Amino acid sequence: MSLELVCPAGTLPALRAAVDHGADAVYIGFRGATNARNFPGLNFSEAEAAAGIAYARERGVRVFVALNIYPSPANWTIATETIDRAARLGVDALILADPGLMRYASDRHPTLRLHLSVQGSATNWRAIEFYRQEFGIQRAVLPRVLSVTQVARLIGRTAVEIEVFGFGSLCVMVEGRCALSSYATGHSPNTQGVCSPAHAVRWEEKPEGRQSRLNGILIDRYAPGEAAGYPTLCKGRFRVNDTVFHALEEPTSLNALDVLPALAASGVKAIKVEGRQRSPAYVGQVTSLLRRALDLCAAAPAADPHAPPPADLLAALDALAEGRTHTLGAYHRPWQ
Amino acid sequence: MTRPMKLAVGPVLYLWERRAALDFYAALCDAPVDIVYLGEVVCSKRRLMQREDWPMVARALEAAGKEVVYSTLALIEAESELATMARIVDAAGAEASGGRFEANDMAAVQYAAGRPFVAGPHLNIYNEATLQLLASRGARRWVAPVELPLATIATLGANRPPGLEIEVFAYGRLPLAFSARCFTARSHNRPKDDCGFICGDYPDGITLYSREDQPFLTLNGIQTQSAAVQNLSREVDALRAAGVDILRLSPQSQGFPAVIDAFRATIDARGAVATFPAPSLPGGYCDGYLRGEAGIDHAE
């Protein structure tokens, strides 16, 4: 069974890059606090989205719109207007997390295809079944917490298509169940579509080294010459008992290449790439590398599922990865 | 005049020795609280309290006039965890006292298929439409997600489905995140599958500090909490005005009876704030979420 490649686009040039380099589908968000990559300079106006959809359609590529925050009463209308806009544009699917918005979308736009966002936090078949029974969702994106075995078992119990993350930054916490960012800064993925937001970041050069702070809280300190990363708060170094280390997670990327054949065999429908905040060049490179990996996987379905992926492919992806290293994350039980 | 606010004791989020847990619940029989949540929310491997202990504890609490609610797991991945959730939902429904369960994952809502439940703090209910939906599927009480500001809670409260109660996490280290990874085992270089129940050594979790020794977070198995204790004792009147019916106090291993007494006195005093015990855990108090600020903030 061939896996569908779902790639991120934060801008029209990134969308074109994904389309040109082999994506089967591209996911985008509208400007404003309605999606999980609410960063300055990112996301689409209605006109840009229309242009992007036209560009993708002409090349046989689908476009999904992500609206994956949990709106408060104050921004409910903005959220429902976003749904109406997506329906008007004729997007191929709407990616939602909030049950109230799902109700709105399925009542108002019954023909609009619904995907449960990773932010919907469904980690078992019964939770997915809730959204299918209530709203007729056709696909669910799984949080990055299940092992390959667990993914396979879940697929055996649900009629809903399953999409999983294949490459990109790694959330160590269950998506949709993490308030660490709002605890430190007041802004969270669930409420504002941001994690460890840039406006709360401060860099300092001190005799002890370069330091990063988030709303005043020291997230990391780097020795001279040590590579410094964005201070996503779960990837900082902290002290637990007497040891200072990456107590929650190292700055590393998820890369599922090693388990692609196993995921394909288990019936996973689509592989998602994280990174709507990334540049068009990055999106193009990652898309073409994963296209190659998926094509190799599809061309040799009977091959040894434990055969390692080509070394040059891994090396090229590592060069693009956060921290320049990768992990299988929860797909690999010992990581847990 | 509205009904008096109730006090609830949340589920114990840590792994306590069986004897310590039994003593804790025995003491609650005589404590001025109205509702007690039982059961395991964080880790399905924790089994120090045995399956038959819980009905015994529940009967004693109910005999003392407390409402008992069985909480269920927040992060459900395995079939065995679904089965445990189903057993708790079925057992709660079978209680003669009209026992309820607390759903902390949509799996429990789906399984309950319309039976009454408490919508726990780990269900993402952020707006009226979602609250209405869950109420129509059996939610009789809503425990607000910890990051919601009071203004949002008040709006949802003003338009609440008939008969729905609202509960707020008013005291304790805030449950902030869940992961597949066990951070407690990891901090001791142990694999999750061979953890040796090391979290049992930390009855209030392990405090995580920044490199300049600011208490920041708490490791509690697969759960990450705040290091600071959220304490809304000074906001009781505002919570009442926002339509909050129940205040949840999250158990800690030391000094908990004094916390209960202080909240009870504050509720009963109506306006006056009772003297509150000094924080017993590193990290002090916080209350920022209520004002829509960073949760770690603490108003002077």
Side-chain angles (χ1 to χ4, degrees):
Chain A
M1 184 184 293
S2 73
L3 290 163
E4 184 181 302
L5 180 58
V6 182
C7 293
T11 59
L12 198 47
L15 180 145
R16 291 198 198 99
V19 170
D20 294 348
H21 288 86
D24 296 303
V26 180
Y27 64 103
I28 67 173
F30 289 121
R31 228 160 260 145
T34 58
N35 70 83
R37 289 291 183 279
N38 174 27
F39 299 157
L42 216 58
N43 297 317
F44 288 69
S45 68
E46 184 164 347
E48 287 163 345
I53 290 166
Y55 187 85
R57 285 265 163 79
E58 285 162 15
R59 289 154 184 83
V61 174
R62 288 176 295 154
V63 176
F64 306 154
V65 164
L67 196 184
N68 47 12
I69 63 151
Y70 290 88
S72 69
N75 54 24
W76 176 258
T77 307
I78 298 171
T80 56
E81 284 171 359
T82 302
I83 290 174
D84 296 340
R85 188 181 313 143
R88 200 160 57 229
L89 285 164
V91 300
D92 294 288
L94 190 57
I95 307 170
L96 296 176
D98 184 71
L101 286 183
M102 285 232 176
R103 170 92 296 143
Y104 178 91
S106 64
D107 286 352
R108 297 293 182 95
H109 308 289
T111 60
L112 184 56
R113 183 182 163 97
L114 296 181
H115 291 185
L116 180 66
S117 167
V118 68
Q119 285 285 114
S121 226
T123 56
N124 59 75
W125 67 267
R126 278 198 185 279
I128 292 169
E129 191 62 7
F130 172 82
Y131 294 94
R132 190 193 65 79
Q133 289 172 341
E134 294 286 347
F135 318 113
I137 62 160
Q138 297 187 56
R139 181 178 294 189
V141 185
L142 297 184
R144 284 160 272 194
V145 294
L146 299 177
S147 68
V148 173
T149 310
Q150 287 174 323
V151 171
R153 284 200 190 122
L154 183 152
I155 289 171
R157 300 298 303 266
T158 182
V160 174
E161 295 175 2
I162 296 301
E163 179 174 315
V164 300
F165 277 89
F167 186 79
S169 289
L170 176 69
C171 272
V172 65
M173 303 301 175
V174 188
E175 297 88 337
R177 302 277 187 90
C178 182
L180 293 182
S181 182
S182 65
Y183 180 66
T185 73
H187 290 68
S188 78
N190 282 12
T191 57
Q192 281 100 352
V194 291
C195 173
S196 310
H199 70 79
V201 172
R202 199 169 82 233
W203 290 96
E204 297 170 336
E205 301 291 342
K206 296 281 181 186
E208 310 87 281
R210 176 180 288 186
Q211 300 187 151
S212 59
R213 292 181 187 275
L214 198 61
N215 195 24
I217 301 160
L218 185 63
I219 300 299
D220 214 337
R221 177 184 292 158
Y222 300 92
E226 191 180 6
Y230 188 85
T232 305
L233 74 85
C234 62
K235 295 179 179 176
R237 274 177 286 201
F238 304 102
R239 180 171 67 77
V240 177
N241 291 323
D242 295 322
T243 312
V244 173
F245 67 119
H246 291 106
L248 300 173
E249 174 60 326
E250 282 85 10
T252 177
S253 276
L254 175 73
N255 183 339
L257 240 56
D258 284 329
V259 295
L260 274 187
L263 290 171
S266 72
V268 165
K269 182 76 179 173
I271 296 290
K272 186 177 198 107
V273 175
E274 181 277 346
R276 276 185 284 149
Q277 73 284 16
R278 300 292 195 150
S279 70
Y282 171 94
V283 169
Q285 286 170 296
V286 170
T287 300
S288 71
L289 290 167
L290 282 171
R291 177 78 272 157
R292 203 181 124 207
L294 262 54
D295 289 347
L296 282 171
C297 189
D304 175 10
H306 302 293
D312 65 317
L313 204 51
L314 276 179
L317 281 167
D318 271 353
L320 295 165
E322 177 184 3
R324 299 195 166 260
T325 63
H326 72 267
T327 171
L328 274 172
Y331 290 132
H332 185 50
R333 181 74 190 175
W335 176 91
Q336 303 189 19
Chain B
M1 201 63 229
T2 52
R3 289 167 298 160
M5 286 175 106
K6 293 187 211 170
L7 274 184
V9 174
V12 173
L13 299 177
Y14 312 102
L15 179 62
W16 287 359
E17 291 298 327
R18 178 169 176 269
R19 178 41 55 193
L22 292 174
D23 289 349
F24 176 80
Y25 290 116
L28 284 183
C29 289
D30 300 319
V33 299
D34 306 286
I35 304 163
V36 180
Y37 290 82
L38 302 178
E40 179 62 44
V41 171
V42 176
C43 178
S44 61
K45 292 163 68 181
R46 295 173 173 174
R47 298 264 167 79
L48 290 184
M49 281 286 278
Q50 284 140 23
R51 195 186 287 193
E52 54 275 17
D53 287 334
W54 292 114
M56 184 188 72
V57 167
R59 278 194 295 276
L61 286 164
E62 283 172 344
K66 314 302 183 194
E67 179 194 330
V68 170
V69 181
Y70 288 94
S71 293
T72 54
L73 211 59
L75 174 57
I76 298 179
E77 299 171 276
E79 285 295 324
S80 59
E81 292 164 347
L82 281 171
T84 301
M85 175 276 291
R87 202 186 66 240
I88 293 168
V89 170
D90 291 340
E95 300 269 337
S97 61
R100 287 183 188 163
F101 72 97
E102 178 184 77
N104 281 311
D105 184 275
M106 284 303 191
V109 179
Q110 192 275 342
Y111 180 76
R115 285 176 274 180
F117 67 92
V118 175
H122 306 299
L123 294 185
N124 285 330
I125 300 175
Y126 283 76
N127 52 60
E128 292 134 301
T130 303
L131 187 58
Q132 290 284 353
L133 172 73
L134 272 290
S136 74
R137 297 300 179 267
R140 299 288 179 269
R141 180 182 298 158
W142 169 50
V143 188
V146 296
E147 67 176 356
L148 279 192
L150 189 60
T152 300
I153 295 169
T155 304
L156 268 63
N159 305 308
R160 74 177 79 183
L164 185 98
E165 293 178 307
I166 298 181
E167 178 171 329
V168 163
F169 189 99
Y171 182 90
R173 286 181 149 177
L174 289 158
L176 296 174
F178 291 91
S179 175
R181 174 175 269 182
C182 177
F183 301 107
T184 305
R186 190 166 178 270
S187 75
H188 285 261
N189 290 313
R190 295 183 184 188
K192 186 184 181 186
D193 290 335
D194 188 18
C195 65
F197 298 100
I198 187 71
C199 60
D201 289 358
Y202 300 94
D204 296 292
I206 311 178
T207 305
L208 173 152
Y209 297 83
S210 77
R211 291 168 83 181
E212 48 194 9
D213 293 326
Q214 177 185 6
F216 181 28
L217 300 171
T218 297
L219 307 181
N220 176 38
I222 65 160
Q223 182 182 61
T224 306
Q225 306 177 334
S226 61
V229 165
Q230 170 155 290
N231 179 359
L232 305 184
S233 62
R234 297 183 304 179
E235 309 295 338
V236 168
D237 283 340
L239 289 159
R240 185 187 281 123
V244 174
D245 304 289
I246 302 160
L247 302 182
R248 171 173 294 201
L249 314 179
S250 189
Q252 62 186 37
S253 69
Q254 304 295 319
F256 197 60
V259 171
I260 294 174
D261 289 344
F263 269 92
R264 183 83 264 166
T266 304
I267 289 173
D268 293 347
R270 285 192 175 265
V273 177
T275 310
F276 209 87
S280 61
L281 294 165
Y285 291 137
C286 67
D287 55 16
Y289 273 138
L290 215 57
R291 295 183 301 279
E293 295 167 5
I296 196 172
D297 289 352
H298 189 225
E300 291 306 316

